[in-house]
Amino acid sequence: MTDASINASTVQEGDAEFGDYFALLKPRVMSLVVFTALVGLLAAPVGVHPVIGFSAILFIAIGGGASGALNMWWDADIDQVMKRTKSRPIPAGKVEPGEALSLGLALSGLSVIMLALATNVFAGAFLAFTIFFYVVIYTMWLKRATPQNIVIGGAAGAFPPVIGWIAATGSMAVEPWLMFALTFMWTPPHFWALALFMRSDYDDAGVPMLTVTHGRRSTRKHILIYTALLALLAVGTAFSGVGGPIYLVVALVLNALFLHGAWKISRRDEEDSEADNFKVERSFFKLSLLYLFLHFGAILAEAVLKPYGLGGW
């Protein structure tokens, strides 16, 4: 084998594959975007043609993926430092930063234009605003500037059900903003629980997460406060246009469990956490993943059953 053939094979082995480009779109985050947008679309009080509905969700998903690619392009420097993110395509050397930027910009433009054409201009404009908020307001500014990064920046992840509702109706209403508020208030305790047992990552990367700037003791208190406010909001949503008896039962059970978990976190000290490798915090984080999915699943169940007289009040 010649030197030229060895070099050629090495370059080929290092070339990015489809999976690497797909990973740029943050598929796990995209799945949440798709699901909450779908719930917003189906919970709207109007019928949507299946083709239009599918197109709307597809382009919202592409817009969410575009945001993820642009986020990875900008955050490549800190992703390389953090254990949780160092295997992402750019820090792993599988995708060039310029490729991620080009992909993110191209998909952003495609998703916004096609959503506007498939549904309405208002929905397209709101998707454009969401991408801008996540990439510029959160990623480029808030994330590295303030410990309130995840609080304010959480709005970006909370917009999809509003976009779904607008895609269906072309207008605003109170109900999609209740779904927005549910995700918005859920985001801080969800990420702060993660930060409690991943604090060294944020320390090393210089990201001013609350655990870094105010310490774990303060973070534990913040988790409890936000969880209590979230519980009030979540249970209250049961009596809105997207709520009903199914949602109420789900909300009561989940928020009782979530509050109990937050209370246990608030009562722990660092010695307890270190001794069991943050068992309680990790358990709370896992519950938080199920928490949002089941709340939106209950809203979806109410919407699907309502035409048959089985959902809603």
Side-chain angles (χ1 to χ4, degrees):
M1 182 178 289
T2 65
D3 290 343
S5 61
I6 293 174
N7 291 337
S9 64
T10 301
V11 172
Q12 187 172 0
E13 288 175 4
D15 286 347
E17 299 178 353
F18 173 78
D20 297 318
Y21 290 108
F22 185 64
L24 283 174
L25 309 184
K26 293 191 174 182
R28 293 169 68 180
V29 176
M30 190 194 297
S31 65
L32 179 62
V33 168
V34 168
F35 183 57
T36 57
L38 178 65
V39 173
L41 183 103
L42 295 179
V46 296
V48 179
H49 191 281
V51 174
I52 295 177
F54 174 79
S55 299
I57 298 304
L58 173 63
F59 297 128
I60 293 171
I62 292 174
S67 299
L70 293 171
N71 171 270
M72 286 200 192
W73 160 70
W74 185 263
D75 277 351
D77 59 332
I78 61 176
D79 282 350
Q80 193 169 14
V81 176
M82 298 174 69
K83 295 177 183 177
R84 188 171 60 89
T85 57
K86 65 181 181 181
S87 62
R88 286 176 173 176
I90 297 176
K94 296 177 180 179
V95 176
E96 291 294 325
E99 292 180 305
L101 174 61
S102 298
L103 180 65
L105 292 175
L107 292 182
S108 294
L110 173 69
S111 62
V112 168
I113 293 171
M114 293 306 297
L115 182 62
L117 292 174
T119 59
N120 56 77
V121 174
F122 189 16
F126 209 92
L127 177 59
F129 171 75
T130 301
I131 295 172
F132 172 82
F133 191 96
Y134 182 71
V135 176
V136 178
I137 303 299
Y138 170 65
T139 302
M140 295 183 176
W141 176 32
L142 294 175
K143 186 172 183 177
R144 308 191 193 204
T146 171
Q148 294 300 308
N149 46 19
I150 206 63
V151 177
I152 306 171
F159 284 132
V162 180
I163 302 173
W165 184 285
I166 294 173
T169 66
S171 62
M172 291 285 195
V174 173
E175 288 81 4
W177 288 107
L178 287 174
M179 289 185 273
F180 166 91
L182 192 63
T183 307
F184 181 76
M185 292 299 297
W186 162 87
T187 302
H190 166 73
F191 275 101
W192 285 334
L194 173 66
L196 282 173
F197 58 85
M198 296 290 291
R199 177 180 169 177
S200 60
D201 263 12
Y202 296 106
D203 274 327
D204 295 342
V207 177
M209 188 63 78
L210 193 66
T211 48
V212 177
T213 60
H214 290 67
R216 290 181 180 177
R217 179 76 263 156
S218 177
T219 301
R220 293 175 188 280
K221 293 178 181 178
H222 276 74
I223 288 176
L224 180 59
I225 293 170
Y226 270 82
T227 301
L229 294 174
L230 172 62
L232 291 173
L233 170 69
V235 174
T237 300
F239 304 99
S240 70
V242 294
I246 298 172
Y247 175 89
L248 179 59
V249 171
V250 170
L252 287 173
V253 172
L254 281 174
N255 284 280
L257 293 173
F258 215 45
L259 276 169
H260 179 64
W263 173 254
K264 288 171 64 177
I265 286 177
S266 72
R267 303 295 294 175
R268 282 163 66 83
D269 56 33
E270 294 315 301
E271 288 74 17
D272 294 333
S273 299
E274 295 286 352
D276 63 10
N277 193 27
F278 296 91
K279 181 179 179 180
V280 173
E281 292 81 359
R282 292 176 188 274
S283 177
F284 182 87
F285 177 74
K286 291 178 181 178
L287 177 61
S288 73
L289 297 173
L290 193 63
Y291 178 98
L292 198 65
F293 174 78
L294 290 180
H295 273 83
F296 274 87
I299 293 174
L300 179 60
E302 297 285 1
V304 170
L305 294 174
K306 190 173 292 186
Y308 304 99
L310 301 174
W313 299 107

